[in-house]
Amino acid sequence: DAGITQSPRHKVTETGTPVTLRCHQTENHRYMYWYRQDPGHGLRLIHYSYGVKDTDKGEVSDGYSVSRSKTEDFLLTLESATSSQTSVYFCAISEADSSYEQYFGPGTRLTVT
Amino acid sequence: QKEVEQDPGPLSVPEGAIVSLNCTYSNSAFQYFMWYRQYSRKGPELLMYTYSSGNKEDGRFTAQVDKSSKYISLFIRDSQPSDSATYLCAMSAIGGATNKLIFGTGTLLAVQP
């Protein structure tokens, strides 16, 4: 998985609790992305980062926040988890000017009860 | 209407068959067309990408883009059981790393030995 790890790999949490997912890369790629994957919707972009402390919203950013304090780490936080955020979350990375060559992590399966 | 439409399948073929996977799209600004393969419970991996129209071949895989019809295809020759996976098409308007990829929902392919 191109030097990308995600933690945790599985998590079950209750509605209303905060959750943080971590993406760690060893490739020194500038760009990092968070997606969610749901049946019938495919992969949808939540947030992305184009450098340390530089982030922007994607298609489905409501209810999510991100932070990137180091090149190698990109955190996704659900401030107050809801059942609609039950999904598989993927982190991806890419080098400059090549968004089509995104490399994905193994995913985190999150269940909100 | 979704920007990218993809038949979810499942598609089941015998080993050795030629497989045709397709996507249609509505945004005429798309210039980059990608195919990702995703094995069960894994992250997507980039198979091929094509810029603008035309064909691209890589071993048993051929990607075709017909911009006049807003239609892209992935052909797999001599299909193998190891090709069993979900195939996702993805598109973007320009190649910059902050440009968002739009994914299809994926087609589940099963190659029977």
Side-chain angles (χ1 to χ4, degrees), chain A residues 1-104:
Chain A
D1 291 320
I4 308 170
T5 57
Q6 292 185 231
S7 59
R9 295 293 313 280
H10 299 87
K11 186 169 182 67
V12 179
T13 192
E14 292 184 349
T15 297
T17 60
V19 176
T20 295
L21 308 183
R22 179 181 182 238
C23 177
H24 178 78
Q25 60 143 331
T26 58
E27 305 296 321
N28 201 35
H29 283 6
R30 179 179 172 188
Y31 298 89
M32 299 186 75
Y33 312 81
W34 276 109
Y35 290 89
R36 59 178 291 174
Q37 187 173 37
D38 305 287
H41 291 279
L43 282 160
R44 292 180 292 175
L45 182 65
I46 304 171
H47 281 281
Y48 65 97
S49 170
Y50 47 97
V52 174
K53 298 192 190 307
D54 292 322
T55 65
D56 205 349
K57 296 179 179 180
E59 177 188 358
V60 290
S61 59
D62 287 349
Y64 302 94
S65 62
V66 290
S67 66
R68 191 168 178 201
S69 59
K70 297 185 289 185
T71 298
E72 57 266 35
D73 289 326
F74 192 31
L75 304 180
L76 176 71
T77 297
L78 291 65
E79 300 290 348
S80 177
T82 67
S83 59
S84 65
Q85 294 175 312
T86 292
S87 187
V88 181
Y89 292 86
F90 288 100
C91 174
I93 63 175
S94 71
E95 293 183 284
D97 298 326
S98 60
S99 65
Y100 47 84
E101 289 192 86
Q102 291 187 15
Y103 301 96
F104 285 79

Side-chain angles (χ1 to χ4, degrees), chain B residues 90-110:
Chain B
M91 307 177 189
S92 70
I94 57 176
T98 58
N99 194 63
K100 303 168 182 61
L101 294 186
I102 308 299
F103 284 85
T105 53
T107 299
L108 178 61
L109 171 67

Side-chain angles (χ1 to χ4, degrees), chain B:
Chain B
Q1 181 189 6
K2 292 182 180 178
E3 279 191 285
V4 178
E5 300 277 1
Q6 185 174 10
D7 187 335
L11 181 62
S12 182
V13 301
E15 183 175 353
I18 296 174
V19 176
S20 172
L21 304 167
N22 311 294
C23 289
T24 59
Y25 63 95
S26 57
N27 188 347
S28 58
F30 287 145
Q31 294 281 359
Y32 289 85
F33 304 91
M34 283 68 68
W35 285 97
Y36 283 80
R37 177 175 62 195
Q38 185 176 21
Y39 291 114
S40 180
R41 298 195 174 251
K42 299 286 188 180
E45 57 178 334
L46 179 65
L47 263 181
M48 301 176 71
Y49 77 89
T50 308
Y51 173 70
S52 194
S53 285
N55 295 357
K56 188 172 187 178
E57 188 173 321
D58 184 2
R60 295 185 296 110
F61 298 87
T62 300
Q64 285 187 353
V65 175
D66 181 348
K67 292 189 73 180
S68 62
S69 302
K70 296 190 178 66
Y71 189 87
I72 70 169
S73 301
L74 177 71
F75 296 96
I76 307 174
R77 292 184 298 280
D78 188 26
S79 56
Q80 302 295 310
S82 58
D83 295 327
S84 298
T86 297
Y87 290 80
L88 303 157
C89 62
M91 307 177 189
S92 70
I94 57 176
T98 58
N99 194 63
K100 303 168 182 61
L101 294 186
I102 308 299
F103 284 85
T105 53
T107 299
L108 178 61
L109 171 67
V111 181
Q112 307 298 334

